Amino acid sequence: MGFAHHAGPGTPVTTADARHVARVMSALATPSRVRILARLREGASTVGELALAVEMEQPAVSHQLRILRDLGFVLGNRNGRHVIYGLYDSHVAALLDEALRHIEHLRAGDTTTPTEEHA
Amino acid sequence: MGFAHHAGPGTPVTTADARHVARVMSALATPSRVRILARLREGASTVGELALAVEMEQPAVSHQLRILRDLGFVLGNRNGRHVIYGLYDSHVAALLDEALRHIEHLRAGDTTTPTEEHA
DNA sequence: TGCTGGCATGCACATGTGTGCATGTCAAAC
DNA sequence: GTTTGACATGCACACATGTGCATGCCAGCA
């Protein structure tokens, strides 16, 4: 009755794959990390700048950056006293864009009203 | 020194956007939901079939299906005594593929060894 | 060498969340 | 109408996780 099949790239998706996907996608599962990545998409910056931009305490930003680093989303290297962070590569930006495009797509068809929209 | 800029589609990504993205992407942030979606990508199926496929208790599957429904990922309609679930549209499958493609991409460059691979 | 700035790390805690178990609900079969 | 099958819901709990606070570490500067 009109489901979306797709049949995909044939990939059966093993249990290990599922766990891996979940781990990686969990990077985008919290507003703070999304904001950090979004800010980094506009250009590399230091931890302090990020903290100001996303309005978080510096340690909190460092913690999230560590997670994003372990997941291969960002990459930081020292420059004097600062550590400059940036997106690992353009593929990360692409994934972010895909996510944004997805919610935009949902906003169009708006299936079930996100549960909260009370401003 | 070689960061990935991108400058994106100009979207500044508001705080609300970040929260929305996080909410939506959290659907892919757990292995069980990824497995459910992966199974559904191969074709629609009933809750019982899903439970068997992903090796979860039926109530657990129902709970996750409810989440996936609220997020607009899946869609279920009754057929006799069964409720047949399927991906909401091909865009969901596309997002899943993008996620799989991403981890595959990481596996190639393998930046920081996912912290656990001891199996 | 001592001091300050910039990040990272440890620890503790509050919160969110996935799952098991029991139960409720609805449709089909008798 | 009663019973059975399939799924949904409520509740409780264990667990993971994000953040604040204090502290440690390292580079640059006087």
Side-chain angles (χ1 to χ4, degrees):
Chain A
M1 356 214 65
F3 277 130
H5 282 228
H6 187 87
T11 327
V13 181
T14 70
T15 302
D17 283 339
R19 301 215 310 157
H20 200 172
V21 169
R23 261 176 45 81
V24 171
M25 298 309 280
S26 70
L28 301 178
T30 186
S32 57
R33 283 193 292 266
V34 172
R35 295 192 63 188
I36 290 177
L37 290 175
R39 173 65 180 75
L40 257 38
R41 196 191 55 166
E42 300 173 6
S45 84
T46 69
V47 178
E49 291 173 346
L50 275 175
L52 286 178
V54 304
E55 293 175 305
M56 292 171 55
E57 304 292 321
Q58 174 267 318
V61 175
S62 278
H63 279 142
Q64 302 308 322
L65 283 175
R66 172 173 167 75
I67 295 176
L68 291 174
R69 268 207 344 192
D70 290 347
L71 267 53
F73 276 81
V74 303
L75 176 145
N77 42 9
R78 299 201 73 123
N79 186 331
R81 302 214 244 204
H82 304 269
V83 175
I84 312 220
Y85 276 88
L87 298 185
Y88 185 76
D89 61 13
S90 60
H91 195 209
V92 174
L95 190 60
L96 237 182
D97 291 343
E98 185 69 24
L100 288 170
R101 190 160 29 235
H102 183 71
I103 68 171
E104 193 173 335
H105 177 231
L106 285 185
R107 196 180 300 278
D110 209 296
T111 84
T112 58
T113 313
T115 303
E116 79 172 20
E117 214 66 62
H118 50 42
Chain B
M1 359 191 63
F3 278 130
H5 282 227
H6 187 84
T11 328
V13 181
T14 71
T15 302
D17 283 340
R19 299 215 311 158
H20 200 172
V21 169
R23 260 176 46 80
V24 171
M25 298 309 280
S26 70
L28 300 178
T30 186
S32 57
R33 283 195 290 267
V34 172
R35 294 191 64 189
I36 289 176
L37 290 175
R39 173 63 180 76
L40 256 37
R41 195 190 57 165
E42 301 173 6
S45 84
T46 69
V47 177
E49 291 173 346
L50 276 175
L52 286 179
V54 303
E55 293 174 306
M56 292 170 56
E57 304 292 321
Q58 174 267 317
V61 175
S62 278
H63 279 141
Q64 302 308 322
L65 283 176
R66 171 172 168 75
I67 295 177
L68 291 174
R69 267 206 345 191
D70 289 347
L71 267 53
F73 276 82
V74 302
L75 177 146
N77 42 9
R78 298 201 73 123
N79 187 331
R81 303 214 244 204
H82 304 269
V83 175
I84 313 223
Y85 276 88
L87 299 185
Y88 184 76
D89 62 12
S90 60
H91 196 208
V92 175
L95 189 60
L96 238 182
D97 290 344
E98 184 70 23
L100 288 170
R101 190 160 28 236
H102 183 73
I103 69 171
E104 193 172 335
H105 178 231
L106 285 185
R107 196 181 300 278
D110 209 296
T111 86
T112 58
T113 314
T115 304
E116 79 170 21
E117 213 67 61
H118 51 41

